[in-house]
Amino acid sequence: MIRRAAPLLLACMPLLLGGCGLRPLYAGGESGPVRTMLSGVTVEPIPGQSGWLVSTALQDRLRAEGTPRYRLQVALDDEIIGLGVRRDDAVTRERRSLRARYQLIDATSGETVLDDTAGSDVGIDVVSSEYATIAAEQSALERLSAIVADQIVARLALFARQPDAPVEQ
């Protein structure tokens, strides 16, 4: 019975998915409204090493071209907290947090059209080698920078997808 119903179910699947209301975020590809809006965003310089990493990740994802329609201002909070403590007061575990508050500003009017936050945490084992711990902290910062940049770009894409978003086509 199940074997006979499987082909029928597979044939009806596209019809069922069409009615669910889902729309592709990047519909239209390179000329779609989301890609057009994202390519019009320029990232303002962000101070510090974490700022350089996030800024570079954002620029790679946004691929700005032409005259910028928006400016993206990002303020970062990078923090390392010791969590696990042994009897001799040595830290054995750390948590690195990277939080970003970002604002999307219309370049012509100076109006803030989006104000939001993004962030992520990662755990780090503190080992007896100081070099290994520093390398782990650096690696964690690189991963966090990519995660935060992905969150920001995803939020900007959702903003561009809104019907009332000021997107130039």
Side-chain angles (χ1 to χ4, degrees):
M1 176 75 177
I2 293 177
R3 288 185 188 178
R4 291 182 187 166
L8 180 63
L9 182 62
L10 287 175
C12 293
M13 190 65 82
L15 298 173
L16 295 173
L17 288 177
C20 71
L22 293 177
R23 296 175 302 163
L25 185 59
Y26 290 98
E30 290 293 319
S31 61
V34 173
R35 181 71 238 146
T36 302
M37 185 271 199
L38 292 179
S39 66
V41 176
T42 184
V43 180
E44 296 203 349
I46 309 168
Q49 180 186 17
S50 59
W52 182 84
L53 289 168
V54 171
S55 177
T56 302
L58 284 169
Q59 290 168 2
D60 289 346
R61 287 156 178 79
L62 293 172
R63 299 184 323 221
E65 53 192 40
T67 304
R69 178 168 162 96
Y70 299 99
R71 292 186 338 254
L72 183 65
Q73 293 180 340
V74 182
L76 294 175
D77 181 24
D78 180 19
E79 185 176 42
I80 299 176
I81 300 173
L83 296 176
V85 181
R86 293 190 312 222
R87 289 183 190 166
D88 62 350
D89 289 335
V91 174
T92 60
R93 187 94 175 135
E94 294 176 338
R95 181 180 70 201
R96 186 163 204 162
S97 301
L98 185 63
R99 303 278 181 254
R101 177 172 184 233
Y102 57 95
Q103 296 176 320
L104 186 65
I105 300 168
D106 189 315
T108 56
S109 69
E111 177 187 356
T112 300
V113 293
L114 178 67
D115 189 349
D116 209 346
T117 59
S120 190
D121 303 317
V122 68
I124 302 167
D125 287 328
V126 177
V127 295
S128 60
S129 168
E130 187 174 335
Y131 175 79
T133 301
I134 292 171
E137 290 172 353
Q138 180 63 30
S139 177
L141 178 59
E142 292 168 6
R143 285 192 314 273
L144 288 171
S145 298
I147 291 168
V148 167
D150 286 339
Q151 290 175 0
I152 292 172
V153 171
R155 180 60 181 99
L156 292 177
L158 287 174
F159 171 77
R161 198 65 182 140
Q162 293 174 353
D164 59 343
V167 177
E168 185 178 288
Q169 292 188 11

